[in-house]
Amino acid sequence: MKLSIITGDQYIQRIDALNNEVWIDGEQVKGKISEHPAFKGILQSKAHLYDLQHDQAMQSCLTQTDGQGTERFNFAFEQPTSKNALAKRRAATQLWAKKSGGTIGRSPDYVNTAIMTLGTSSSFFEDHFGENIQQLFMNARQNDLSFTHTFINPQVNRSPHYIEFSKDEIIAAKVIEENENGIIIHGARLLATQGGITDEILVLPVGGNTIDPAYVYAFAIPSNTRGLKFICRESYAKHASSSFDHPLTSKFDEVDSIVVFDHVLVPWERVFVYQDLDAVTQIFTETNLNMMLLYQAVCRQVVKTEFLLGLGESLANTIAITAYQHVQDKLSEIISTLEIMKALLASAEENAQKNKFGTMVPDEKPLMVAQNYYQKNYARLVEYLHLLGASGFISLPTEKDFDSSIGKDLDQYLQAKNASAKERVKLFRLAWDLTMSSFGSRQTQYERYFFGDPIRLSSSLYQLYDKTEYVKQVKDFLASNND
Ligand SMILES: Cc1cc2nc3c(=O)[nH]c(=O)nc-3n(C[C@H](O)[C@H](O)[C@H](O)COP(=O)(O)OP(=O)(O)OC[C@H]3O[C@@H](n4cnc5c(N)ncnc54)[C@H](O)[C@@H]3O)c2cc1C
């Protein structure tokens, strides 16, 4: 059987060999990116996820074989055609998510789900563009490729009627030329999480009322395409080499990047939307791309909430505060969030329906409610942990302190009712890293925004939700009340 699943080593070697143009802290990354302090931790963590595909105990969950049993590939590239297949996909996403407590937002299955969804909806695309996306999908599946993605323009002017006019000072990436080889893109896009540490980049249309065809395009190209630059935000992992001090930052800092296209040639065979205004407005909904991505995200968020609950309960036990009602109240709020998210996920699966491309798509209403709810509530969950831990989130000596001559003092004065000083600090550091460190603050911002602006998403929910029946009930009630 052909194994289309890579190992962790293969992934790292491939990313090193790409030699992508990645900038961080005013310097271009030279040499192996897997040895750079900003990227080492996340690359190793992703490598571990790939290795699990080869673990006999997990292979049947994390991989899939084709109908003839001739190829084994990653689960995210499987088109789900039944509710059972959706449940299998959930189990695999959650197995991977548990390795990081749900903190790796863009594990490879996220964007690969987008590639699968688009690749299996090829008749949505005009003419040969459908063949292009199908080919991109097959190539990604056969080589177990990883992708970053971008679908927003730089945050220059978000007023309702802003249109970028200047031809000389291009900001938002646009097509500046087309020729027999392809289209030339120039300008910038936001915000590619893991930009520079994936094999390829998927560029999706910016939503909204695009009227200039120069902005109407979608494609995927290798991350080392000439003229493509990834300008990364400051690394949180750079100074986080100790997994005792920064248990999450040291391993899971994904790094986010601004993507700059400097006269980048995108070959025609890599383009799958071009100057098709209808495709721009419909690509996310008609192919069900939105829902398939959201399904992955909600599966991960359930795991993250389980992790938050486990942390909250452990903190409370350690310093013996579980008998207080307000502590139970806070923990029960996390329990409620977990159960609400699980119920919404189950409802989305239960009411899934096949779309016209044969994909079993989870029901959009519960998924959108889950997303809206989590965007608004995640910060509250974080606050509950802060309120339980109090100064325990601040009195956090480092591994070096424990190993020094003052270690004995710390052992004595930082002990807890149910843990030694070191065990207690280790646990509180984990909660601090999830909620309060730079990494933790970014986690909160991520849950608020990674799927789009919460305001516009709740507006979408309001608009799509059919309220007719309930309005009629009120009308009928009022009418009967007149009798
Ligand atoms: C940690 C993190 C990781 C991310 N990773 C990725 C990624 O990998 N790929 C990717 O493509 N994107 C990514 N994003 C970007 C994400 O898609 C955007 O944050 C999201 O779409 C909102 O866009 P914006 O940040 O430009 O906010 P803006 O649109 O600039 O909004 C700023 C404020 O203005 C308000 N506003 C603006 N326009 C309107 C309007 N029309 N109506 C009402 N209110 C409005 C918003 O409500 C908000 O309060 C990431 C974001 C974060 C925070």
Side-chain angles (χ1 to χ4, degrees), residues 234-307:
E234 180 185 349
S235 163
Y236 309 139
K238 191 172 62 173
H239 300 298
S241 53
S242 159
S243 60
F244 178 90
D245 295 347
H246 301 96
L248 300 172
T249 311
S250 56
K251 295 191 180 81
F252 309 126
D253 181 15
E254 294 181 87
V255 187
D256 309 281
S257 67
I258 299 160
V259 186
V260 174
F261 298 83
D262 186 356
H263 296 85
V264 169
L265 169 67
V266 179
W268 281 120
E269 64 271 19
R270 290 275 178 168
V271 178
F272 53 91
V273 172
Y274 185 49
Q275 297 192 337
D276 178 353
L277 288 167
D278 290 340
V280 168
T281 49
Q282 293 165 9
I283 187 170
F284 292 97
T285 49
E286 284 288 301
T287 65
N288 296 113
L289 176 60
N290 265 359
M291 286 313 119
M292 295 311 292
L293 286 176
L294 202 44
Y295 183 62
Q296 190 279 353
V298 175
C299 291
R300 177 190 59 78
Q301 288 169 331
V302 165
V303 170
K304 196 170 195 177
T305 315
E306 289 171 349
F307 195 63

Side-chain angles (χ1 to χ4, degrees), residues 106 149-152 155 158 190-191 193 449 452-453 456:
R106 309 301 196 197
H149 80 302
T150 161
F151 68 97
I152 62 168
Q155 198 181 39
R158 297 284 200 243
L190 304 180
L191 175 74
T193 297
Y449 282 107
D453 173 24
R456 276 165 279 173

Side-chain angles (χ1 to χ4, degrees), residues 5-12 46-47 50-51 53-54 144:
I5 45 174
I6 50 166
T7 63
D9 274 352
Q10 284 172 320
Y11 163 66
I12 287 189
K46 282 181 71 186
Y50 284 118
D51 278 339
Q53 302 186 104
H54 297 268
D144 208 357

Side-chain angles (χ1 to χ4, degrees), residues 439-479:
F439 174 90
S441 305
R442 182 226 175 242
Q443 289 286 315
T444 305
Q445 197 68 343
Y446 183 83
E447 297 301 351
R448 280 196 189 107
Y449 282 107
F450 79 92
F451 203 73
D453 173 24
I455 298 300
R456 276 165 279 173
L457 286 173
S458 55
S459 171
S460 302
L461 173 62
Y462 170 76
Q463 285 170 34
L464 84 81
Y465 202 88
D466 187 358
K467 299 159 285 278
T468 328
E469 171 59 27
Y470 313 117
V471 172
K472 182 176 173 301
Q473 282 178 23
V474 172
K475 202 173 165 190
D476 291 349
F477 179 87
L478 289 174

Side-chain angles (χ1 to χ4, degrees), residues 182-216:
I183 51 178
I184 315 276
I185 305 277
H186 190 75
R189 275 293 193 94
L190 304 180
L191 175 74
T193 297
Q194 294 195 18
I197 56 165
T198 60
D199 298 285
E200 301 211 349
I201 177 169
L202 172 67
V203 180
L204 292 167
V206 175
N209 300 321
T210 313
I211 46 163
D212 183 346
Y215 295 97
V216 178

